[in-house]
């Protein structure tokens, strides 16, 4: 490297070190590269160079130009990364606040449950909440006089009775959709019915309105192992791996056999005890009741116009609020909170 | 929260103890094994608690299995279930066979005391039996009985009353002891009550009866018992009692339930009777009761055993194909295994090739009706835990596409509104008359609940806005900005038919009208709805609220916007500020501007300040570049409008 080359590069380096703004860099660039700049000036000196050194001098100048360009470009990149002076921002400050709304937890639960059942070919249905007694009871093997039909278990509507279907009620369970689906679809059926349901209790552990989801599957050869398989699939999808399930014998009018489905408790890991002395507050001896299920009663199939000799089916009905709270390990001291719509409750979801 | 399917509210819980159970059952199973195995195949033992040298089981009994709601009933279930888990379990005594009228009705007793019992009315009671014992010495019960009753949440009163309670827990048949000498004319008539009749019960409450309740009157016409629910005060056993009448009955379950619910007297006896009891169990219970009264109260039988049993139950026989059972369960089960299972549960079985004929024990007669009931017995004993889990393959079916389409957009709308800063609320579908009237609606247009439990939930909503405005008011002060939305069904009354259930969207906010309008415009854009107009908006108490038929809205929704080719030609943007007044509404200016200017591409409000509004107009042609001069000429035409 010649003295000229070295001297020029060193001078440039020195000046670059003193450069802290892009405006300064711009003027430095033009100092070296403009028409009357340092580099052109050096190039023009080629005329005074002896003929045999001209080629080497030209080469040297080109290298010098390339070096200078690289240095300036490097500095430009460096400067562009630096915030401009006077606009320095504390990077630890929070970003701009976006509007923060919320959805009710029942919405999230319904969304997830619908997706889980869609994956195994179930289609969501929606049926009347204000129903005739026939669909809510009679067709479900609950004849007149059955205790579930009396005034203490069901809301009745003050309207004229239907000549065939009886009184108007607020349906106390999603099961009223069973016969409606049989009438709409016939066989086979793979339905998930999610709806509001109503019962006349209003205290810390009951609200007069709540939500249920009902699965109904009817086809040839449907048996208990299918019910067990489907509920187990739902349970693993919804609660995650590692929870155990059991079916217990139970009784419902519209299924035979009937089961109660239990899931092992997440809080005490199915032991029923938090530690050696404290019992788990959430569960019963390590188990939480998920809800009811069973094989569709032949009388119900008959009402839905389905031949119970040829077809069989299973059904289940679980409470939405309940499964959501079980999933979250949530125990509300007062269930009424769910429908009181206090913004401090709502915005948490 | 234990409320799910069907009618489980009618279920009951009983408490019994392990040592008591061992009186009937010989077993090597410990209390926790019993809990685990019974819960899988029979009644659910919800909790086991160690108390002194004993263990207390808290057991849920389903409404169809009241026959098992006793120490003996649980012993029967144990004897059938525990051996399937390799545990020894044998019934030591079969109380149902061992105790009979004949046995207590020995020749040595004097049977000279008068007693008459009548049932006035059909189907009030399927059976009534009674006997009188004299020389009763009222005192304390033996310690073991007091301890057991205490562990089972029953207060000890005196030996006679305790025996009555002990008997119920042991065998599941409620019963009543009267002071025989307080029964006028020694006559008891079971009849229906008249409306307004009064009865004073053991708890010293005077209950006015709704009418049609089962009551027992004595010879003087005095009501001496609110049948199946609670004994009468006037005939109760006291420390002075010498002669006791032990009465056992099985009543019409529906009547008992109705009386118990309407009078609010939810006694343990009522929870038994309302499920329908087996009249056959009266005999062993009465005989066992006599044994206890003799042993622990010094009583002696002084009357004949009265037994009014007009229609004795006949055994029920059900035939079922073995293959049907296997198909429903989904597992191969040997006929011999089925037979063994059913016999262990007290059924008698005859096998005819592929068919089995099952005779149902009387205590299961109400529960077992169709072959599927038999299949259930086989399945639960075989063990649901032993069955495989197989998700069925679903054949193509008639999907509810309209519903699926709706769901898709509803969820999209909900998430949009959430991200716009609104909180979703869920209100009750029912509202109060006061609320309806406050918003200027007519209660007559709403469906009314016949048996509401609160005036706050008496009418079915036909609008959502009142509930949402209420939500804002109730949250006042908790946050500065309150913006709520709800998507829910409304229930429009129809003559002679179910209401029209239509989903509505409602929004309420304490923010500005323009904010609300902006949210809605954004929502329509999200749902790719291009054409819409705004109607009226509710505004009071600084709250803006709005609702629309959401199902109708969804009909215009599209999954993605319609594509417009990009205009490659120049766009000229020009601003215009004007003064707003009622004669110059933005909407009018906008629509007229498009009419007068063929080159106008879009109009946007870019700022407002007091009554000054600045608009930005964009001009372009579809086939060429326009000049700024051309655009300015267009703007001149528009200027004349403002």
């Amino acid at each position: 490297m010649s003295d000229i080359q070295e001297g020029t590069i060193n001078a440039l380096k020195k000046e670059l070190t003193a450069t802290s703004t892009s405006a300064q860099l711009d003027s430095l660039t033009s100092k070296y590269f403009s028409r009357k700049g340092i580099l052109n000036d050096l190039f023009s000196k080629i005329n005074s160079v002896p003929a045999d050194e001209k080629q080497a001098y030209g080469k040297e100048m080109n290298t010098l130009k390339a070096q200078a360009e690289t240095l300036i470009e490097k500095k430009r990149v460096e400067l562009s990364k630096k915030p401009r002076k006077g606009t320095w921002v504390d990077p630890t400050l929070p970003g701009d606040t976006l509007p923060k709304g919320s959805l009710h937890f029942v919405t999230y639960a319904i969304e997830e449950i619908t997706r889980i059942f869609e994956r195994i070919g179930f289609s969501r249905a929606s049926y009347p909440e204000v129903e005739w007694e026939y669909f809510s009871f009679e067709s479900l093997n609950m004849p007149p006089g059955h205790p579930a039909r009396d005034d203490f278990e069901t809301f009745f509507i003050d309207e004229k009775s239907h000549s065939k279907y009886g009184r108007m009620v607020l349906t106390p369970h999603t099961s009223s959709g069973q016969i409606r689906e049989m009438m709409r679809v016939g066989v086979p059926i793979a339905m998930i019915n999610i709806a509001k349901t109503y019962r006349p209790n209003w205290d810390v552990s009951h609200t007069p309105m709540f939500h249920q989801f009902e699965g109904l599957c009817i086809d040839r050869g449907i048996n208990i192992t299918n019910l067990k398989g489907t509920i187990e699939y739902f349970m693993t999808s919804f609660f995650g791996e590692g929870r155990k399930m059991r079916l217990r014998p139970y009784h419902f009018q519209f299924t035979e056999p009937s089961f109660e489905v239990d899931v092992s408790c997440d809080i005490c890991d199915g032991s029923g005890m938090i530690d050696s002395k404290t019992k788990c507050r959430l569960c019963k001896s390590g188990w939480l009741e998920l809800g009811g299920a069973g094989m569709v009663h032949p009388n119900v199939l008959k009402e839905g116009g389905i031949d119970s000799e040829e077809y069989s089916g299973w059904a289940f009905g679980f409470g939405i609020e309940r499964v959501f709270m079980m999933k979250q390990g949530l125990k509300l001291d007062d269930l009424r909170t769910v429908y009181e719509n206090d913004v401090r409750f709502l915005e948490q979801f | 929260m234990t409320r799910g399917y069907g009618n489980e509210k009618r279920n009951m819980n009983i408490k019994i103890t392990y040592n008591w159970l061992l009186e009937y059952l010989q077993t090597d199973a410990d209390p926790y094994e019993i809990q685990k195995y019974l819960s899988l195949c029979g009644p659910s033992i919800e909790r086991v608690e160690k108390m002194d040298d004993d263990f207390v089981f808290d057991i849920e009994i389903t409404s169809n299995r009241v026959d098992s709601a006793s120490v003996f009933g649980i012993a029967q279930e144990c004897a059938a279930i525990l051996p399937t888990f390799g545990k020894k379990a044998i019934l030591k005594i079969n109380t149902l066979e061992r105790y009979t009228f004949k046995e207590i009705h020995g020749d040595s007793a004097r049977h000279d005391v008068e007693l008459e019992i009548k049932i006035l009315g059909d189907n009030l009671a399927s059976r009534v039996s009674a006997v009188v014992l004299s020389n009763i010495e009222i005192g304390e019960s033996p310690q073991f009985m007091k301890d057991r009753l205490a562990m089972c949440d029953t207060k000890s009163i005196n030996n006679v009353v305790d025996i009555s309670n002990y008997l119920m827990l042991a065998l599941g048949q409620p019963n009543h002891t009267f002071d025989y000498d307080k029964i006028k004319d020694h006559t008891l008539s079971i009849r229906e009550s008249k409306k307004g009749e009064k009865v004073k019960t053991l708890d010293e409450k005077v209950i006015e009866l709704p009418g049609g309740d089962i009551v027992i009157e004595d010879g003087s016409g005095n009501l001496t018992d609110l049948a199946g629910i609670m004994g009468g005060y006037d005939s109760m056993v006291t420390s002075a009692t010498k002669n006791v009448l032990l009465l056992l009955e099985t009543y019409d379950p529906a009547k008992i339930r109705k009386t118990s619910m309407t009078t609010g007297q939810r006694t343990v006896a009522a929870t038994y009777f309302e499920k329908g009891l087996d009249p056959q169990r009266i005999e062993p219970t009465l005989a066992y009761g006599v044994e206890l009264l003799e042993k622990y109260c010094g009583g002696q039988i002084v009357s004949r055993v009265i037994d009014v049993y007009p229609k004795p139950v006949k055994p029920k026989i059900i035939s079922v194909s073995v293959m049907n059972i296997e198909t429903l369960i989904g597992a191969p089960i040997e006929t011999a295994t089925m037979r063994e299972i059913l016999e262990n549960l007290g059924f008698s079985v005859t096998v005819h090739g592929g068919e089995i004929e099952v005779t149902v024990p009387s205590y299961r007669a109400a529960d077992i009706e169709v072959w599927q009931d038999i299949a259930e017995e086989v399945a639960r004993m075989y063990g649901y835990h032993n069955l495989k889990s197989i998700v069925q393959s679903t054949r193509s079916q008639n999907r509810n596409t309209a519903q699926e389409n709706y769901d898709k957009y509803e969820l999209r709308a909900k998430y949009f509104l959430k991200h716009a800063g609104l909180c979703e609320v869920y209100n009750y579908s029912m509202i109060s008359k006061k609320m309806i009237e406050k918003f200027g609606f007519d209660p007559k247009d709403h469906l009314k609940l016949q048996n509401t439990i609160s005036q706050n939930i008496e009418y079915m909503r036909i609008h959502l806005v009142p509930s949402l405005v209420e939500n804002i008011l109730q949250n006042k002060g908790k946050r500065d900005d309150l913006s709520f939305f709800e998507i829910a069904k409304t229930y429009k009354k129809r003559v002679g038919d179910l209401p029209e259930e239509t989903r509505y969207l409602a929004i309420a906010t304490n923010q500005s009208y323009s904010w609300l309008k902006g949210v809605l415009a954004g929502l329509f854009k999200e749902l790719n709805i291009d054409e819409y107009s705004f109607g009226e908006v509710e505004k009071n108490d600084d709250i803006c609220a709005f609702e629309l038929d959401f199902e109708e809205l969804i009909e215009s929704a599209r999954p993605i916007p319609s594509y417009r080719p990009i205009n490659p030609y120049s766009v000229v943007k020009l601003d215009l500020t004007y003064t707003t007044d009622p004669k110059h509404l933005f909407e009018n200016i906008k629509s007229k501007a498009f009419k007068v200017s063929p080159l106008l591409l879009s109009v946007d409000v870019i700022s407002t300040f007091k009554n000054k509004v600045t608009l930005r107009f964009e001009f372009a042609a579809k086939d060429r570049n326009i000049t700024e001069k051309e655009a300015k000429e267009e703007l001149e035409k528009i200027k004349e409008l403002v």
Side-chain angles (χ1 to χ4, degrees):
Chain A
M1 198 186 284
S2 76
D3 290 349
I4 300 169
Q5 197 184 343
E6 201 176 333
T8 311
I9 289 297
N10 283 343
L12 175 62
K13 277 182 179 169
K14 210 171 170 183
E15 283 185 281
L16 280 172
T17 315
T19 302
S20 60
T21 69
S22 49
Q24 284 172 327
L25 188 65
D26 286 346
S27 64
L28 193 64
T29 310
S30 78
K31 185 175 169 186
Y32 280 81
F33 288 96
S34 65
R35 211 149 49 86
K36 289 181 179 173
I38 292 170
L39 291 179
N40 266 351
D41 192 36
L42 287 173
F43 267 109
S44 63
K45 282 182 182 155
I46 197 161
N47 298 329
S48 53
V49 169
D52 58 337
E53 287 174 26
K54 269 192 167 117
Q55 197 184 348
Y57 185 83
K59 220 175 180 179
E60 193 182 315
M61 284 304 117
N62 280 330
T63 319
L64 174 64
K65 195 184 169 194
Q67 279 177 327
E69 269 171 359
T70 311
L71 285 170
I72 283 174
E73 215 31 61
K74 207 172 138 195
K75 184 72 186 182
R76 200 176 291 284
V77 171
E78 210 175 279
L79 284 180
S80 72
K81 280 181 187 163
K82 239 189 219 173
R84 286 177 197 186
K85 214 171 186 177
T87 58
W88 183 83
V89 174
D90 176 356
T92 66
L93 284 175
D96 293 349
T97 311
L98 290 176
K100 159 78 180 81
S102 61
L103 294 184
H104 196 278
F105 79 62
V106 170
T107 293
Y108 293 117
I110 290 176
E111 180 189 6
E112 191 172 356
I113 291 162
T114 308
R115 289 217 176 120
I116 289 171
F117 281 97
E118 265 172 8
R119 286 203 288 272
I120 54 166
F122 281 62
S123 179
R124 186 167 169 199
S126 173
Y127 290 111
E129 290 170 21
V130 181
E131 236 329 345
W132 299 115
E133 263 181 310
Y134 170 79
F135 293 98
S136 287
F137 301 120
E138 213 136 320
S139 62
L140 296 173
N141 200 29
M142 283 188 259
H146 190 276
R149 296 182 56 161
D150 68 28
D151 280 15
F152 320 105
E153 303 290 340
T154 308
F155 283 120
F156 289 90
I157 302 282
D158 198 5
E159 288 287 310
K160 264 192 193 159
S161 294
H162 189 279
S163 57
K164 192 171 152 201
Y165 294 144
R167 290 197 281 172
M168 213 183 266
V169 302
L170 290 189
T171 194
H173 47 210
T174 40
S175 310
S176 49
Q178 289 190 12
I179 297 291
R180 294 245 179 221
E181 181 78 353
M182 291 179 204
M183 287 176 165
R184 187 183 73 85
V185 174
V187 276
I189 287 173
M191 165 192 91
I192 189 87
N193 174 21
I194 308 179
K196 289 190 166 103
T197 44
Y198 306 85
R199 288 184 208 175
N201 311 103
W202 206 355
D203 54 42
V204 289
S205 49
H206 298 95
T207 51
M209 179 185 86
F210 54 104
H211 293 78
Q212 281 192 338
F213 63 111
E214 178 104 6
L216 179 68
C217 180
I218 300 173
D219 204 346
R220 283 193 191 90
I222 295 292
N223 61 43
I224 301 176
T225 66
N226 301 138
L227 172 58
K228 208 179 152 185
T230 308
I231 293 179
E232 221 164 81
Y233 157 78
F234 166 72
M235 220 193 60
T236 321
S237 312
F238 190 77
F239 295 107
E241 307 275 347
R243 303 279 288 262
K244 286 197 287 283
M245 178 192 102
R246 69 174 183 183
L247 296 181
R248 279 187 290 112
Y250 216 71
H251 175 68
F252 304 109
Q253 284 292 118
F254 41 93
T255 50
E256 192 65 51
S258 304
F259 322 97
E260 183 84 0
V261 185
D262 288 352
V263 179
S264 62
C265 178
D266 202 24
I267 301 297
C268 64
D269 206 18
S271 67
M273 304 294 282
I274 295 295
D275 54 50
S276 60
K277 280 186 190 142
T278 325
K279 277 189 184 166
C280 181
R281 204 169 76 96
L282 197 68
C283 66
K284 288 175 181 166
S285 301
W287 295 98
L288 291 161
E289 289 164 13
L290 190 64
M295 302 305 291
V296 182
H297 197 287
N299 292 354
V300 178
L301 291 173
K302 199 175 140 196
E303 284 299 323
I306 294 172
D307 181 359
S308 67
E309 294 294 312
E310 194 178 350
Y311 293 95
S312 54
W314 56 249
F316 68 80
F318 301 156
I320 298 262
E321 295 85 344
R322 184 172 175 76
V323 297
F324 181 84
M325 290 182 2
M326 276 165 67
K327 178 178 173 151
Q328 305 294 318
L330 201 70
K331 177 140 188 166
L332 297 177
D333 289 323
D334 188 343
L335 195 70
R336 291 172 290 198
T337 315
V338 176
Y339 297 112
E340 268 162 15
N341 299 316
D342 187 313
V343 67
R344 294 165 300 182
F345 175 83
L346 297 173
E347 66 191 9
Q348 292 183 47
F349 296 99
Chain B
M1 177 170 58
T2 53
R3 181 164 64 173
Y5 225 29
N7 53 330
E8 89 287 355
K9 263 196 82 187
R10 290 176 62 232
N11 294 342
M12 61 196 284
N13 273 59
I14 59 161
K15 280 188 177 175
I16 64 164
T17 84
Y18 180 62
N19 288 341
W20 197 350
L21 185 67
L22 295 185
E23 275 187 20
Y24 295 95
L25 187 74
Q26 195 184 348
T27 184
D28 58 354
D30 69 39
Y32 297 98
E33 287 171 326
I34 290 177
Q35 175 185 33
K36 188 176 168 191
Y37 301 142
L38 252 63
S39 299
L40 282 173
C41 299
S44 170
I45 301 186
E46 295 181 343
R47 285 185 180 89
V48 178
E49 204 168 339
K50 192 174 184 328
M51 278 189 174
D52 301 324
D53 301 331
D54 207 344
F55 295 85
V56 179
F57 295 118
D58 187 349
I59 308 174
E60 183 184 35
I61 305 287
T62 54
S63 60
N64 62 325
R65 288 303 310 274
V66 66
D67 66 286
S68 63
S70 60
V71 182
F72 178 72
I74 295 300
Q76 282 181 302
E77 284 287 309
C78 284
I81 293 167
L82 296 178
T84 68
F85 293 94
K87 286 283 158 187
K88 198 174 97 182
I90 305 162
L91 273 188
K92 284 181 186 167
I93 41 165
N94 189 336
T95 313
L96 303 185
E97 290 161 11
R98 153 109 159 58
Y99 288 95
T100 61
F101 286 157
K102 208 174 148 197
E103 189 206 347
I104 55 166
H105 212 262
D107 298 330
S108 58
R110 297 186 299 130
H111 300 135
D112 49 3
V113 164
E114 281 174 33
L115 180 61
E116 194 184 350
I117 294 183
K118 291 179 278 195
I119 307 177
L120 308 174
D122 289 342
N123 306 323
L124 293 181
S126 51
R127 188 176 194 178
V128 182
S129 304
V131 70
V132 181
L133 293 100
S134 67
N135 297 331
I136 294 285
E137 287 170 41
I138 301 288
E140 284 196 26
S141 307
Q143 196 58 43
F144 84 92
M145 192 179 282
K146 281 203 280 192
D147 290 346
R148 282 181 185 173
L149 288 176
M151 283 189 271
C152 302
D153 295 344
T154 306
K155 213 172 104 189
S156 174
I157 310 279
N158 61 44
N159 50 359
V160 171
V161 176
D162 288 358
I163 284 171
S164 172
N165 288 328
Y166 191 82
L167 200 53
M168 177 171 73
L169 285 171
L171 298 179
Q173 167 65 51
N175 54 87
H176 188 57
T177 50
F178 296 80
D179 185 326
Y180 170 75
D181 300 310
K182 291 179 188 165
I183 300 171
K184 301 277 162 18
D185 298 339
H186 309 308
T187 303
L188 294 174
S189 304
I190 297 164
R191 63 163 171 88
E192 279 190 44
S193 70
K194 297 176 204 88
K195 187 175 176 354
E197 267 189 295
K198 288 182 181 133
V199 58
K200 187 174 180 185
T201 46
L202 290 174
D203 52 1
E204 296 188 47
K205 274 189 216 160
V206 177
I207 294 167
E208 192 175 322
L209 297 169
D213 315 276
I214 308 176
V215 290
I216 306 180
E217 66 172 31
D218 64 13
S220 69
N222 208 14
L223 293 190
T224 182
D225 191 68
L226 181 53
I229 295 170
M230 197 182 278
Y233 183 80
D234 296 339
S235 59
M236 75 178 191
V237 170
T238 64
S239 55
T241 298
K242 293 283 173 233
N243 301 305
V244 163
L245 166 70
L246 175 62
L247 181 81
L248 282 97
E249 344 64 342
T250 45
Y251 295 115
D252 173 3
K255 279 198 176 300
I256 299 295
R257 178 168 167 85
K258 184 173 164 284
T259 302
S260 165
M261 294 299 287
T262 45
T263 61
Q265 295 287 87
R266 300 293 296 145
T267 60
V268 179
T271 63
Y272 275 93
F273 281 121
E274 71 186 18
K275 290 174 184 69
L277 298 175
D278 173 22
Q280 294 291 100
R281 190 161 296 199
I282 285 196
E283 183 166 343
T285 312
L286 185 110
Y288 182 47
V290 167
E291 182 184 286
L292 294 173
L293 287 167
E294 287 174 344
K295 197 167 171 184
Y296 299 111
C297 311
Q300 289 164 324
I301 293 193
V302 289
S303 76
R304 64 192 172 87
V305 175
I306 293 204
D307 186 24
V308 188
Y309 190 15
K311 290 177 218 153
V313 294
K314 290 192 188 97
K316 193 184 233 175
I317 295 166
I318 289 175
S319 281
V320 50
S321 109
V322 170
M323 203 181 77
N324 279 353
I325 294 183
E326 285 182 307
T327 310
L328 187 67
I329 296 176
I333 302 170
E334 299 282 332
T335 309
T337 311
M338 289 190 196
R339 180 183 197 136
E340 196 188 329
I341 284 172
L342 291 167
E343 284 176 350
N344 284 343
L345 286 165
F347 296 79
S348 4
V349 179
T350 353
V351 180
H352 308 282
E355 291 273 316
I356 52 175
E357 196 180 89
V358 181
T359 309
V360 182
S362 66
Y363 50 88
R364 298 296 306 276
D367 169 38
I368 307 282
E369 283 175 359
V370 290
W371 70 260
Q372 284 84 352
D373 293 307
I374 302 290
E376 172 168 44
E377 295 303 301
V378 173
R380 73 181 175 104
M381 289 297 157
Y382 179 81
Y384 297 132
H385 54 285
N386 289 322
L387 296 179
K388 289 181 183 155
S389 296
I390 303 164
V391 178
Q392 61 286 319
S393 53
T394 328
R395 294 194 286 142
S396 66
Q397 24 88 34
N398 191 355
R399 301 190 74 85
N400 196 340
T401 43
Q403 174 72 27
E404 286 177 2
N405 194 44
Y406 170 83
D407 286 343
K408 187 175 72 189
Y409 286 116
E410 186 194 82
L411 207 56
R412 197 156 157 175
K414 283 185 173 187
Y415 274 100
F416 173 83
L417 293 168
K418 173 192 155 143
H419 294 308
L422 291 91
C423 292
E424 185 186 20
V425 294
Y426 271 57
N427 285 294
Y428 291 119
S429 307
M430 313 81 117
I431 57 173
S432 67
K433 189 176 181 179
K434 220 172 111 190
M435 282 256 278
I436 294 173
E437 286 169 347
K438 184 177 162 189
F439 284 83
F441 301 119
D442 187 350
K444 285 200 199 87
D445 296 336
H446 297 65
L447 288 178
K448 189 182 177 202
L449 269 60
Q450 208 166 55
N451 58 331
T452 190
I453 46 172
S454 158
Q455 287 186 345
N456 290 329
I457 50 167
E458 204 176 0
Y459 292 88
M460 300 305 288
R461 288 194 290 184
I462 58 173
H463 295 284
L464 307 185
V465 159
S467 314
L468 272 96
V469 169
E470 204 63 19
N471 295 146
I472 300 265
L473 293 174
Q474 280 178 354
N475 279 295
K476 214 169 180 174
K478 288 174 190 163
R479 294 288 179 269
D480 292 339
D481 290 346
L482 293 167
S483 302
F484 295 141
F485 82 92
E486 181 173 15
I487 298 177
K489 277 183 173 177
T490 55
Y491 311 84
K492 275 190 205 89
K493 217 169 145 168
R494 281 193 292 208
V495 179
D497 202 355
L498 295 175
E500 194 183 322
E501 296 186 8
T502 315
R503 293 178 191 84
Y504 268 62
L505 161 69
I507 297 177
T509 180
N510 64 0
Q511 301 203 51
S512 69
Y513 169 73
S514 72
W515 181 86
L516 175 61
K517 215 167 159 182
V519 167
L520 284 169
L523 175 66
F524 296 152
K525 200 169 163 61
E526 174 70 15
L527 297 174
N528 301 306
I529 296 168
D530 299 328
E531 284 180 24
Y532 54 84
S533 63
F534 288 97
E536 268 182 59
V537 171
E538 297 269 350
K539 189 163 167 54
N540 50 11
D541 300 327
D542 296 324
I543 296 170
C544 290
F546 173 90
E547 75 176 13
L548 54 75
D549 181 333
F550 194 63
E551 290 180 31
E552 201 184 307
L553 184 77
I554 293 302
E555 281 170 23
S556 334
R558 277 171 295 125
I560 46 169
S562 52
Y563 171 73
R564 285 190 209 98
I566 296 164
N567 187 342
Y569 301 105
S570 66
V571 174
V572 180
K573 297 172 189 174
L574 296 173
D575 293 354
L576 173 68
T577 301
Y578 71 101
T579 307
T580 177
D581 63 64
K583 282 179 192 160
H584 296 94
L585 296 176
F586 168 73
E587 280 294 340
N588 295 343
I589 294 170
K590 186 180 169 182
S591 62
K592 282 180 189 162
F594 277 104
K595 276 180 197 148
V596 298
S597 167
L599 295 180
L600 182 60
L601 197 66
S602 67
V603 186
D604 285 307
V605 178
I606 56 169
S607 69
T608 57
F609 178 70
K610 290 186 178 165
N611 60 347
K612 301 278 183 201
V613 178
T614 304
L615 302 179
R616 172 158 298 167
F617 296 89
E618 293 190 354
F619 299 96
K622 283 175 183 158
D623 49 359
R624 64 189 169 88
N625 286 326
I626 59 165
T627 62
E628 192 155 347
K629 191 168 164 264
E630 276 180 282
K632 278 182 175 161
E633 281 165 18
E634 293 293 301
L635 188 65
E636 283 307 312
K637 290 189 231 165
I638 293 168
K639 267 184 187 167
E640 286 168 19
L641 301 171
V642 302

